[in-house]
Amino acid sequence: MSFWFWHGLKKGVRSTHYPRKFESAAGVSPGRPVATEFDSATEAVLAAANCPVDAIVARGSAAEVKLERCIYCQHCHYGNPHLLEWNSDYEWTMAALGPGKYQPLPGAYHRSLHVMVVDAGDCGACLHEVKQLNNPLYNMHRLGIFLTATPRFADVLLVVGPVSENMRVPLLKTYEAMPTPKRILAVGACAINGGVFGRAFMSAGGAASVLPVDLLVPGDPPPPLAILHALLAVTGRKNPVAQMASLEGNS
Amino acid sequence: MIDAWIGGALALFFILCACGLVLSAATRGVYSLRAFVVFSAACSILMMFSSAVALASGHSFAIDLWRLNGWGRLSIRLDMLSAIFLFAAGLVYLPASLFVRNLVEVRFRGRYPTRRYGVLHFALMASVVLILVASDAPLFLISWECMSLLCYFLVNYEQSARMDVRAGYIMLVMSEAGFLAVVVAFLILGRGTPDWSFSSLAGMAEHLSGGAVWGVFLLGFLGFGVKAGLVPVNFWLPRCYTAAPAVFVPVLAGVTLNLGFYGILRLDAQLMSNHSLGTGLFALITGSITALVGILYATTENDLKKMLAHSSIENAGIIVAAVGASLVFHASGYAVAAAIALTAALYHMVNHSVYKTLLFQGVGEVEAATRTREMDRLGGLARLLPGLSVVFLVGCLSISAIPPFNGFVSEWLTLQSLLRSAVLLSSAVKILFALCGACLALTAALAVTCFVKVYAMSFLGIRRGDWRKVPGKAGRTQFPLAYLAVACLLLGILPTYVIPVLNRAVEPLAGASAAASLVPPFFTATPENQQLPPAFVNDFHNLGAQTGRHVLPGRGLVVMVRGSEKNPVVFAMSTSYSFVALAIFLFVTWFIATRSSRQRSVTRHELWAGGIPRLLPEMTYTATGFSNPVRVVFQAIFRPNIVEDSRETVAVHFRTAILRRRDETHLVDRLLLHPVGEAVGWLARLLAEMHHGRLNAYVTYTLAFLLIILVLFRLS
């Protein structure tokens, strides 16, 4: 006889309390580099030069971060003298068109959201993180968010991967097959701007070059809680963070 | 007066038949076709008219013809059983006649040899009517033999392929074997009879011994079962239906199949009233097995015509199972239950004629338009032939027993009458009934699968084959089909008006009235009626069972069997009321949907097909794929012979081509036809040993034979 029921009662609730409480367990997020004030402008330039994808921009003695470009190589975190400060939060979803230009789905979707995931040439990392949302720890069903296999029921199109040429038409067809109102999430650096692939002969360079993306989830890959934050931002239960201070004027 | 009407109609029928025969043979081209259609339609209307008069009045028409030397007097008699079969035949012959014209004009562009076809057609029509009205064995048997031969000629009429000719031969051989069995059955039955009329044969049947009853029953059952398509004597049927010309198959399925049931009912139910329990059980079990085998092969078959042929076998099984149940109830002394089962059988017979004719004509139309019958190559016909697709859908719904169409009523009645076995005493019989009921329920479920497949794979989806629509007068072809579709609907929603008519034939056979117990007179209920107490009526009045009592004629619109005090209603239903409710619900839903979506915008994009760039016909669900689960589950029955062959380039891992062939031998062929064939071959080889000897050996045989004869003479 199986005692799973008893075990379950004994262990209690293990799911995260996010978004009711801030989840602070170790390892739920890789964190993110944040703008850092250095002693001199030279040091800031050296820190920026350390970044292989130009995600760090020197402005005066400060090094500012364009998180949507970051591929999490962690060169600015370990092993060089010009390190940036790290913040260990995970609520970093951004509106693609800038602050104030994003409209969440209407109230009927607050506690019922169906997500269609399209793998548009993903390496598997972002997909893996999306998959984690279904496990008991993150358990997105408790928030009324479900994955669906057909675009006919989907409210959100979650794109991962840089949109390879072979997936461009299927992605467009999926978008067309979805009923309105609908929102598009670009998850991971690849889906935002092509990431390490960039724009190439077989890579469209991100979902935004094909579809009108609404929300960006930076990270390579973003942790599950960052994706969860984005999904909550779609329903209007959370707000996308204002463009980070370091990004102002650059977008 | 009524005699004059019926007699006149029958006489006129034979006169018109003769006229049609002569005119369609004597004229040429379009005139021949016109004469054919007009006279054939008139004849079928007369068939319906004469039988309708007989059924409406409840008056049997009888007349003596001439005396045949040594055989007694030939006489005809249109009793209620004949009238029902005659009406069903007329119902089918009318659209079949009109359909010939459509098909000849569309498919053959008028270049069809209608002259010879007309001769055979009218001769067959006359022989069918003669079979149904014959009231003595000689006339019945002569007409039966004529019908068999004419069917053979008509099946082989187009003679397109070698296999077709072979199918015709198999049919002829089986018909003749069945005919011989029937003749022997009549000879056993009528030993020492003064004349061969059915009434005196019925008198003889009472003196038969137990073994003779079994003999007559089995010979008649299997002999007539050849035409009715019962396992194990039905292996000619799918072959022959596939080979028969499209103009003739509806007649084959809608008319001559019924003659088998007519024979079984006439010989085994009417003439022999002293049945044992065993004969009824035999019929019930045979019917159930036939139904299951028929539908299994129908579900896995991809040729539309062959699939419908197997489905005819299935329906024949259901009808015979109901007849068997009726015989068992009759033998056990439950006359009312016997009457209900027999009503179900006759109802299903009429229904089957109607929807099978509709489906066969639809398939004929499909074949005329696309030149193919393979479901794997069809698809998307709904856009090509919209009118046909609607009526074909009605046919499919009817045959899969979906309310409010006619198949539902009769299959429901059949299953309910099998459930009435609870009243029987013997528990072995009860178990057999339960098993047969389960068999028929499985059959009904598979029938739904089968016809979902037929409609979805041929009419929905996208076109799979490279066929091209043959241009033709598509508009005119829908009338006969629409007529049959309306008949399907009416037979489905008005069972309470059909059952009393069927009851006229059932009552003398079963000895009890089915209508009295199946259709309670809610419309004409009076407080004095002991059968229907006011309290009971009141309960059902609140449920709406008396709705429409002031407007509609008849007894009521509810089919119901009443039970004891403890269990007041055994079973009840009303397709009439549910049809009205269904129509109202559909209308309200449509109304709300259109009103509520008025403000919304509707955008249309192309079909969602998993995001693939282009949906190719090869990617869509095929008929083979749809029915494969059935094929896998029932593998023990199908016993397929799978041959797999592959071609490799370098090693086994680099295959360039895989060939997978699957051969199936039909269950009956495997278990009966092939062993019998092998046995005959073995015997022939044994005899051939003797034949191919030397002359000296022959002389020795003769001498030995002579010696044996002499010794025997001496000894005796």
Side-chain angles (χ1 to χ4, degrees):
Chain A
M1 187 180 158
S2 159
F3 288 98
W4 61 267
F5 179 71
W6 174 242
H7 282 298
L9 280 181
K10 207 163 67 177
K11 294 217 169 185
V13 177
R14 290 300 172 96
S15 295
T16 172
H17 292 291
Y18 183 79
R20 200 150 41 76
K21 278 191 234 161
F22 192 82
E23 178 62 54
S24 54
V28 293
S29 170
R32 62 183 164 101
V34 290
T36 310
E37 193 71 30
F38 285 99
D39 295 342
S40 68
T42 322
E43 275 188 61
V45 168
L46 281 173
N50 237 343
C51 181
V53 290
D54 295 338
I56 304 173
V57 179
R59 182 169 292 162
S61 63
E64 295 180 346
V65 178
K66 288 181 172 176
L67 191 62
E68 77 274 19
R69 286 192 178 178
C70 179
I71 60 165
Y72 280 71
C73 65
Q74 312 236 358
H75 270 209
C76 52
H77 194 27
Y78 297 114
N80 85 66
H82 311 289
L83 295 178
L84 265 63
E85 287 171 16
W86 275 69
N87 189 344
S88 63
D89 70 344
Y90 41 77
E91 293 192 336
W92 60 57
T93 298
M94 293 180 263
L97 299 174
K101 292 190 181 165
Y102 169 71
Q103 193 76 40
L105 286 176
Y109 294 88
H110 269 206
R111 281 170 207 285
S112 168
L113 192 69
H114 288 255
V115 182
M116 168 103 191
V117 179
V118 173
D119 168 3
D122 182 47
C123 66
C126 295
L127 264 188
H128 186 260
E129 301 298 321
V130 171
K131 200 170 76 182
Q132 297 309 315
L133 288 173
N134 257 336
N135 74 18
L137 185 61
Y138 299 108
N139 192 7
M140 65 177 172
H141 300 161
R142 73 201 151 94
L143 302 169
I145 304 171
F146 304 94
L147 295 183
T148 170
T150 159
R152 296 288 191 219
F153 309 144
D155 313 310
V156 178
L157 180 61
L158 196 156
V159 187
V160 291
V163 187
S164 61
E165 181 55 32
N166 286 345
M167 282 308 288
R168 197 171 55 81
V169 173
L171 185 64
L172 271 171
K173 285 198 164 195
T174 314
Y175 176 73
E176 276 174 3
M178 282 168 61
T180 49
K182 50 191 168 187
R183 297 286 181 269
I184 304 176
L185 246 59
V187 171
C190 298
I192 293 170
N193 55 20
V196 294
F197 303 101
R199 191 184 285 273
F201 79 107
M202 282 300 273
S203 158
S209 59
V210 182
L211 299 175
V213 173
D214 295 296
L215 287 175
L216 308 175
V217 189
D220 200 10
L225 284 175
I227 302 169
L228 200 58
H229 175 242
L231 290 172
L232 289 171
V234 168
T235 61
R237 291 163 76 181
K238 286 272 180 186
N239 288 322
V241 293
Q243 301 287 73
M244 280 154 218
S246 55
L247 283 169
E248 274 170 20
N250 283 345
S251 53
Chain B
M1 185 61 200
I2 290 163
D3 266 353
W5 277 107
I6 300 174
L10 281 178
L12 191 58
F13 166 80
F14 285 111
I15 291 167
L16 286 186
C17 243
C19 289
L21 194 149
V22 171
L23 278 179
S24 60
T27 51
R28 282 176 182 283
V30 71
Y31 297 103
S32 169
L33 183 61
R34 274 185 200 161
F36 173 88
V37 171
V38 168
F39 279 95
S40 180
C43 284
S44 41
I45 290 169
L46 279 173
M47 280 157 93
M48 280 200 275
F49 175 76
S50 54
S51 52
V53 169
L55 284 171
S57 62
H59 180 79
S60 296
F61 167 79
I63 188 168
D64 280 351
L65 300 175
W66 52 87
R67 180 176 286 278
L68 210 64
N69 242 352
W71 287 93
R73 188 181 289 277
L74 297 187
S75 56
I76 64 175
R77 180 180 153 85
L78 184 74
D79 65 359
M80 294 299 119
L81 188 66
S82 309
I84 283 178
F85 280 86
L86 193 58
F87 190 81
L91 205 63
V92 169
Y93 255 126
L94 179 59
S97 320
L98 302 174
F99 180 66
V100 168
R101 171 191 174 159
N102 299 329
L103 211 62
V104 167
E105 284 185 352
V106 172
R107 182 167 175 198
F108 297 95
R109 313 271 175 78
R111 284 198 302 271
Y112 195 78
T114 17
R115 295 171 64 197
R116 280 186 300 134
Y117 186 81
V119 172
L120 295 172
H121 176 88
F122 284 107
L124 179 69
M125 216 173 193
S127 63
V128 164
V129 173
L130 270 182
I131 288 172
L132 291 177
V133 297
S135 129
D136 58 316
L139 185 58
F140 178 81
L141 291 173
I142 292 167
S143 342
W144 187 275
E145 181 60 11
C146 285
M147 185 270 296
S148 297
L149 287 175
L150 288 165
C151 275
Y152 164 69
F153 289 130
L154 280 163
V155 162
N156 265 0
Y157 190 69
E158 283 175 13
Q159 284 194 348
S160 47
R162 199 163 148 247
M163 285 307 285
D164 296 358
V165 178
R166 236 185 105 188
Y169 279 137
I170 295 177
M171 173 190 177
L172 188 63
V173 167
M174 285 312 293
S175 308
E176 290 310 304
F179 176 70
L180 285 179
V182 170
V183 168
V184 172
F186 271 113
L187 287 178
I188 298 175
L189 185 62
R191 203 165 39 187
T193 180
D195 66 347
W196 290 89
S197 72
F198 283 162
S199 48
S200 51
L201 283 177
M204 299 302 293
E206 286 162 17
H207 312 301
L208 281 181
S209 64
V213 166
W214 264 102
V216 173
F217 174 82
L218 280 183
L219 284 171
F221 188 75
L222 292 177
F224 289 124
V226 171
K227 269 276 168 277
L230 299 180
V231 166
V233 284
N234 62 3
F235 47 83
W236 63 274
L237 199 147
R239 294 182 176 131
C240 159
Y241 277 34
T242 320
V247 290
F248 179 57
V249 193
V251 176
L252 209 52
V255 180
T256 62
L257 192 79
N258 290 348
L259 294 179
F261 307 129
Y262 176 74
I264 289 174
L265 283 176
R266 187 58 90 188
L267 179 64
D268 292 341
Q270 193 195 21
L271 296 189
M272 300 203 312
S273 44
N274 52 343
H275 274 286
S276 62
L277 209 60
T279 50
L281 283 177
F282 181 80
L284 174 65
I285 292 167
T286 313
S288 308
I289 293 173
T290 305
L292 190 58
V293 169
I295 198 62
L296 277 179
Y297 280 95
T299 312
T300 51
E301 184 58 57
N302 285 343
D303 182 317
L304 278 172
K305 224 168 161 186
K306 213 170 193 172
M307 182 279 306
L308 286 180
H310 282 297
S311 149
S312 282
I313 294 176
E314 173 236 336
N315 281 285
I318 294 175
I319 296 165
V320 169
V323 171
S326 161
L327 293 180
V328 171
F329 285 127
H330 191 69
S332 325
Y334 295 98
V336 174
I340 292 173
L342 201 55
T343 309
L346 284 180
Y347 208 141
H348 201 70
M349 186 275 298
V350 174
N351 288 345
H352 173 250
S353 312
V354 173
Y355 54 61
K356 196 44 73 71
T357 310
L358 167 60
L359 290 172
F360 265 124
Q361 293 188 352
V363 168
E365 201 97 315
V366 167
E367 200 189 354
T370 65
R371 300 265 193 261
T372 181
R373 296 190 309 244
E374 275 297 310
M375 274 183 244
D376 275 343
R377 282 166 45 73
L378 290 169
L381 283 176
R383 235 166 282 157
L384 204 67
L385 308 163
L388 177 68
S389 80
V390 172
V391 285
F392 202 85
L393 179 63
V394 171
C396 285
L397 289 174
S398 310
I399 199 168
S400 9
I402 307 285
F405 296 101
N406 56 359
F408 171 74
V409 182
S410 48
E411 279 202 31
W412 182 84
L413 273 178
T414 307
L415 284 174
Q416 289 291 2
S417 60
L418 286 189
L419 290 179
R420 297 283 285 153
S421 65
V423 298
L424 295 172
L425 292 177
S426 157
S427 53
V429 175
K430 274 188 200 173
I431 290 170
L432 275 178
F433 262 70
L435 287 177
C436 291
C439 226
L440 290 187
L442 179 62
T443 305
L446 282 170
V448 177
T449 318
C450 178
F451 283 91
V452 165
K453 168 183 145 180
V454 169
Y455 191 76
M457 295 304 153
S458 326
F459 285 83
L460 306 181
I462 56 177
R463 173 194 298 204
R464 284 195 212 90
D466 51 358
W467 45 267
R468 197 174 287 251
K469 191 196 170 191
V470 178
K473 300 170 187 168
R476 198 192 275 174
T477 60
Q478 312 303 345
F479 168 71
L481 294 163
Y483 157 88
L484 286 165
V486 170
C488 278
L489 184 66
L490 288 182
L491 282 169
I493 62 174
L494 300 173
T496 48
Y497 295 95
V498 180
I499 288 170
V501 174
L502 295 176
N503 186 48
R504 288 186 187 269
V506 168
E507 206 167 347
L509 285 181
S513 165
S517 55
L518 266 179
V519 188
F522 278 121
F523 282 2
T524 53
T526 48
E528 295 83 53
N529 192 341
Q530 293 296 315
Q531 298 291 317
L532 213 61
F536 188 79
V537 174
N538 213 25
D539 284 352
F540 280 84
H541 177 80
N542 296 339
L543 287 172
Q546 288 188 312
T547 312
R549 64 189 294 197
H550 303 299
V551 189
L552 295 167
R555 294 164 68 90
L557 290 175
V558 181
V559 177
M560 177 194 282
V561 165
R562 294 195 51 212
S564 59
E565 208 45 50
K566 216 183 334 177
N567 177 22
V569 178
V570 178
F571 57 81
M573 65 130 192
S574 169
T575 41
S576 329
Y577 289 133
S578 39
F579 174 68
V580 173
L582 195 70
I584 291 173
F585 281 143
L586 276 178
F587 176 75
V588 169
T589 314
W590 171 81
F591 185 73
I592 292 173
T594 47
R595 287 305 289 272
S596 66
S597 66
R598 198 167 277 176
Q599 287 94 23
R600 295 185 191 165
S601 65
V602 177
T603 52
R604 287 192 184 279
H605 287 291
E606 63 179 298
L607 183 77
W608 170 247
I612 48 176
R614 193 157 163 262
L615 183 66
L616 297 176
E618 295 84 27
M619 298 172 176
T620 54
Y621 209 8
T622 58
T624 313
F626 188 87
S627 56
N628 207 41
V630 177
R631 222 169 265 137
V632 171
V633 170
F634 293 96
Q635 198 156 28
I637 293 175
F638 291 122
R639 295 274 179 85
N641 184 17
I642 298 171
V643 183
E644 212 174 88
D645 194 14
S646 61
R647 200 183 298 151
E648 299 104 12
T649 48
V650 185
V652 280
H653 312 295
F654 300 98
R655 292 186 171 179
T656 52
I658 296 177
L659 175 79
R660 188 182 156 91
R661 209 175 57 231
R662 181 189 165 99
D663 296 323
E664 267 172 22
T665 317
H666 192 280
L667 186 74
V668 177
D669 289 4
R670 203 169 61 224
L671 296 183
L672 182 83
L673 193 55
H674 292 178
V676 167
E678 274 163 26
V680 170
W682 175 78
L683 206 67
R685 270 197 303 282
L686 213 67
L687 292 175
E689 291 277 313
M690 247 201 277
H691 282 192
H692 295 294
R694 285 173 304 167
L695 188 64
N696 307 8
Y698 286 160
V699 175
T700 319
Y701 294 147
T702 318
L703 192 65
F705 189 68
L706 207 62
L707 279 176
I708 291 168
I709 297 283
L710 288 174
V711 167
L712 283 177
F713 257 101
R714 186 75 205 142
L715 289 178
S716 64

